[in-house]
């Protein structure tokens, strides 16, 4: 039995809803999965299936540094968007041109976009919690224009 794994990345906000849906298995195709269209984006996820639990460890997603991806990541970072990652496993002998009905969810993660960086060819998106991992401190917050309005520019 040949097994394949497809990963799905959704960038969303509670107020704005889903802003972006990407998948990394069906090359150069937009597929319909769970009633929504998922565009192809060749991304790589690090720390997704490490098997560690309860340690506030984050996940990083490496994306190609195209103009569209850079704009999307900057918006996600600026507005503290959430990202949902899901990994599904399926039998590749049943076909590889569309998501199958019998896919099994093997891992999922939801985190806030807490950082981004990169180089000329790739961009790394850091996902994690905005809450402080130790103590009873007030969680660190990033002041966004949605929270405080548009700042005055002189």
């Amino acid at each position: 039995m040949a097994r394949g794994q497809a990963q799905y990345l959704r960038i969303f906000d509670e107020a704005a809803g889903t802003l972006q849906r990407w998948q990394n298995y069906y090359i150069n195709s937009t597929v319909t999965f769970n009633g929504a269209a998922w565009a192809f984006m060749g991304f790589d996820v690090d720390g997704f299936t490490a098997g560690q639990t309860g340690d506030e460890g984050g996940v990083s997603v490496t994306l190609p540094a195209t103009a569209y991806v850079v704009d999307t990541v900057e918006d996600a970072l600026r507005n503290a968007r959430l990202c949902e990652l899901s990994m599904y496993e399926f039998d590749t002998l049943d076909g590889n041109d569309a998501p199958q009905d019998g896919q099994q969810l093997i891992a999922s993660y939801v985190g806030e976009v807490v950082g981004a960086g990169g180089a000329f060819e790739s961009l790394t998106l850091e996902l994690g919690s905005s809450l402080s991992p130790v103590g009873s401190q007030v969680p660190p917050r990033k002041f966004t224009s949605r929270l405080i309005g548009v700042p005055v520019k002189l």
Side-chain angles (χ1 to χ4, degrees), residues 24-100:
N24 69 353
Y25 185 81
Y26 304 97
I27 299 173
N28 295 328
S29 297
T30 297
V31 296
T32 301
F33 180 63
N34 285 343
W38 298 81
F40 173 76
M41 181 60 64
F43 62 88
D44 185 40
V45 181
D46 185 32
F48 193 38
T49 57
Q52 301 169 346
T53 58
D55 65 350
E56 295 296 325
V59 171
S60 62
V61 180
T62 303
L63 299 150
T66 64
Y68 181 69
V69 170
V70 170
D71 290 343
T72 302
V73 168
E74 284 178 347
D75 175 67
L77 184 60
R78 183 175 42 253
N79 294 304
R81 307 275 192 215
L82 298 173
C83 284
E84 176 183 27
L85 287 163
S86 302
M87 182 185 294
Y88 288 86
E89 186 176 57
F90 53 93
D91 187 0
T92 59
L93 297 178
D94 291 338
N96 276 332
D97 55 346
Q100 302 169 9

Side-chain angles (χ1 to χ4, degrees), residues 105-119:
L105 178 67
I106 57 174
S108 66
Y109 180 84
V110 176
E112 183 180 330
V113 178
V114 294

